Amino acid sequence: MLDRYVGTLERAGLDQCVLLAVVSTAAWYILFDATGGDGATPLPGAWGDLPEWLAMWATGSIYAALVLYRYIPTTSRGARAAMFALAGAVSYWIGVNFTIYASPLDSDVATTALAGVATAAGLGCLAMTLGTLRFSGVSFAALCTAGGLGGAAVGVEWLSELTDEFVVGHLAWQVLTCIAFYYAPGK
């Protein structure tokens, strides 16, 4: 079943890939609206934290399953799918917690942009090391730029205080990185 799913993703065009990134953002919104979470729970400290914590980890895994699974090679697909799902979850957790707890820069926009770059770079390294993408300086820079722009969009939303849901920022990060991955060279 995994082979059929990944095969379908491999044949998807850019429009379908972007649609999957939008679906991933919608899943994120539904999960966090349902749990009332902000994604900043490092580990569940009490039973009440568990839904938010699981929603945060599921969000990154959903992005991996919808956007990154197309880059899983045919060899060791099951194990690599699990690694990609875990990497998606960890990257999301790192980005959120880096922004909220580390905040190394004076600007929230710069901090979220840096988090966006770091998470995109991490997932890019995974897709190049364990996946079917080949390293290219230009495509890696494009991926990091996409992550930075998406992260900056989260920061702008954070500063505007119009909403605490960051839907536009998440959508920007997921769609822009999806496009950058799509145009990265394969092995």
Side-chain angles (χ1 to χ4, degrees):
M1 187 160 108
L2 178 62
D3 286 338
R4 249 184 299 148
Y5 175 67
V6 173
T8 300
L9 290 177
E10 289 171 338
R11 292 185 300 277
L14 179 60
D15 57 339
Q16 293 159 325
C17 293
V18 168
L19 180 61
L20 290 172
V22 170
V23 169
S24 176
T25 301
W28 165 82
Y29 179 77
I30 290 167
L31 285 169
F32 280 96
D33 190 48
T35 61
D38 62 5
T41 305
L43 293 172
W47 281 109
D49 294 338
L50 195 58
E52 178 185 340
W53 187 77
L54 290 174
M56 186 241 340
W57 283 81
T59 298
S61 295
I62 291 168
Y63 174 81
L66 294 176
V67 175
L68 297 178
Y69 273 21
R70 73 181 287 124
Y71 307 110
I72 298 175
T74 56
T75 58
S76 306
R77 209 167 243 174
R80 290 182 191 215
M83 285 186 259
F84 273 50
L86 181 61
V90 168
S91 73
Y92 185 75
W93 179 82
I94 287 171
V96 169
N97 285 284
F98 174 83
T99 299
I100 292 174
Y101 296 116
S103 300
L105 305 170
D106 290 337
S107 164
D108 290 336
V109 175
T111 297
T112 56
L114 183 59
V117 169
T119 55
L123 292 175
C125 288
L126 175 79
M128 291 173 206
T129 305
L130 298 177
T132 60
L133 295 182
R134 182 174 46 86
F135 180 80
S136 157
V138 171
S139 63
F140 193 72
L143 177 61
C144 290
T145 300
L149 291 172
V154 171
V156 168
E157 257 185 302
W158 192 357
L159 286 177
S160 71
E161 296 180 7
L162 294 175
T163 176
D164 60 351
E165 294 173 343
F166 313 116
V167 175
V168 173
H170 278 85
L171 182 64
W173 190 92
Q174 292 194 10
V175 168
L176 291 172
T177 57
C178 172
I179 293 168
F181 275 119
Y182 185 84
Y183 284 111
K187 291 182 180 175

